[in-house]
Amino acid sequence: MTIKHYDVAIIGAQISGLLTAALLVRRGFRVLLIDHDGIIHKYGEDQYILPVLPEIILTPHPQSLITTIHTELGIIQDLRIHLQKFDPPFQIILPKKRLNLPLEKNQIISALITEWPDIAQAIEKFFLKIEHIESEVSNYLNGTEAFFPDGFFQRRRVRNFSVGFENVSKHFLDTDILEDFPQNHPILELFIAPLFFFSNISPRDASLAQFARTLGSFFRGASHLSTKVGHLRDMLLKKFTESGGEVLYNTKIQSMTFSRRKAESLHLTDSQY
């Protein structure tokens, strides 16, 4: 039995796992990345080559933490060179037609009001709320001294700092963000769908900050990489391995042991970590 020691073990080598792993190993942590399949970008269907997952990147907030992370990892310029915006970015499929969403926020609001004039005031009020929450989240992320906080005193400072930002952790369904819209109105699906599609988060589990951030990015448009399928994953994996990270593919976890709510060890198919 082989025993190795790491600071962090990340399970799953898709974008979120790779991004977290690359960032942590760059900051000096010993990181193990585990995936049961390996990184598979595409599959064949008849004569077509299709991506396993949608290769769509939402446009982040200008002060977004993800932009800071991309800069820290040294991939921001590569992304800017190869990103191409969709035009139109999205379509709403209605019973009798398709509604194209423009690229600019005020035009999006106008298009939605034209389609549903009976809830015009609610639409305008909703976008103002989203803008306010996004601004609050940005102020929180820019003012927090560390990601990830290390040690008792740093964690306490981050907790104390967080008290003044009520929308950062408030649960999405416990708020009145959608209260001005009629129940079961089709526009609600438009607002909630990005959580599922882009974040893989159920509204039952989402915070108001996650909802506002995802929706704000959704309405700023979406882009795709003009290069090969899986280019973003390849970039992140390269950064991770170049910085000393270790990857285990085709590996299954048999069990985990915990101590004080933290994972202490992982028992894999043929070793222990």
Side-chain angles (χ1 to χ4, degrees), residues 168-228:
V168 170
S169 58
K170 187 182 295 183
H171 198 279
F172 163 60
L173 292 181
D174 292 335
T175 70
D176 60 358
I177 188 74
L178 298 174
E179 68 173 359
D180 296 317
F181 296 103
Q183 191 173 7
N184 298 323
H185 194 283
I187 201 171
L188 296 177
E189 292 296 324
L190 169 66
F191 294 153
I192 293 175
L195 274 176
F196 286 109
F197 188 76
F198 295 106
S199 302
N200 196 28
I201 299 175
S202 165
R204 295 189 303 272
D205 303 319
S207 70
L208 187 58
Q210 289 171 320
F211 173 74
R213 267 303 209 220
T214 304
L215 197 64
S217 296
F218 173 77
F219 283 118
R220 277 188 290 273
S223 303
H224 66 98
L225 287 168
S226 60
T227 51
K228 64 180 181 179

Side-chain angles (χ1 to χ4, degrees), residues 109 112-126 180-183 185-188 191:
I109 294 173
L112 296 177
I113 289 175
T114 300
E115 184 64 31
W116 294 296
D118 55 318
I119 56 170
Q121 188 174 356
I123 291 172
E124 291 177 338
K125 184 178 177 181
F126 174 77
D180 296 317
F181 296 103
Q183 191 173 7
H185 194 283
I187 201 171
L188 296 177
F191 294 153

Side-chain angles (χ1 to χ4, degrees), residues 13-18 35 38-43 49-57 196-198 200 224 229-231 233:
Q14 294 301 330
I15 292 294
S16 58
L18 279 169
D35 196 84
I39 298 180
I40 302 172
H41 301 315
K42 57 191 177 183
Y43 66 97
I49 300 297
L50 302 172
V52 172
L53 296 172
E55 299 252 321
I56 299 173
I57 299 174
F196 286 109
F197 188 76
F198 295 106
N200 196 28
H224 66 98
V229 172
H231 183 67
R233 292 181 180 86

Side-chain angles (χ1 to χ4, degrees), residues 74-190:
I75 63 174
I76 189 71
Q77 292 302 325
D78 200 359
L79 287 175
R80 286 173 176 169
I81 290 170
H82 296 296
L83 281 178
Q84 294 183 350
K85 279 204 167 187
F86 289 104
D87 188 12
F90 301 103
Q91 290 183 329
I92 304 174
I93 302 176
L94 299 171
K96 295 184 179 180
K97 64 176 181 179
R98 296 188 179 194
L99 175 64
N100 290 335
L101 292 182
L103 286 169
E104 202 272 327
K105 186 183 76 171
N106 290 333
Q107 294 177 351
I108 294 173
I109 294 173
S110 296
L112 296 177
I113 289 175
T114 300
E115 184 64 31
W116 294 296
D118 55 318
I119 56 170
Q121 188 174 356
I123 291 172
E124 291 177 338
K125 184 178 177 181
F126 174 77
F127 276 88
L128 287 174
K129 288 180 180 179
I130 292 295
E131 185 176 342
H132 172 75
I133 295 166
E134 275 212 287
S135 176
E136 186 172 329
V137 173
S138 292
N139 290 336
Y140 169 74
L141 294 176
N142 292 334
T144 303
E145 67 174 66
F147 287 94
F148 307 88
D150 183 26
F152 171 78
F153 292 104
Q154 200 171 78
R155 287 196 295 270
R156 187 173 67 176
R157 285 195 295 270
V158 170
R159 278 198 303 270
N160 292 340
F161 178 80
S162 303
V163 171
F165 296 88
E166 60 177 15
N167 288 317
V168 170
S169 58
K170 187 182 295 183
H171 198 279
F172 163 60
L173 292 181
D174 292 335
T175 70
D176 60 358
I177 188 74
L178 298 174
E179 68 173 359
D180 296 317
F181 296 103
Q183 191 173 7
N184 298 323
H185 194 283
I187 201 171
L188 296 177
E189 292 296 324
L190 169 66

Side-chain angles (χ1 to χ4, degrees), residues 19-20 22-29 64-77 146-148 236 239 243:
L19 189 67
T20 305
L23 182 64
L24 288 175
V25 77
R26 187 177 180 87
R27 294 185 179 184
F29 291 88
S64 173
L65 180 63
I66 193 63
T67 302
T68 303
I69 291 173
H70 286 164
T71 302
E72 182 176 340
L73 292 176
I75 63 174
I76 189 71
Q77 292 302 325
F147 287 94
F148 307 88
L236 293 172
K239 293 293 182 182
S243 298

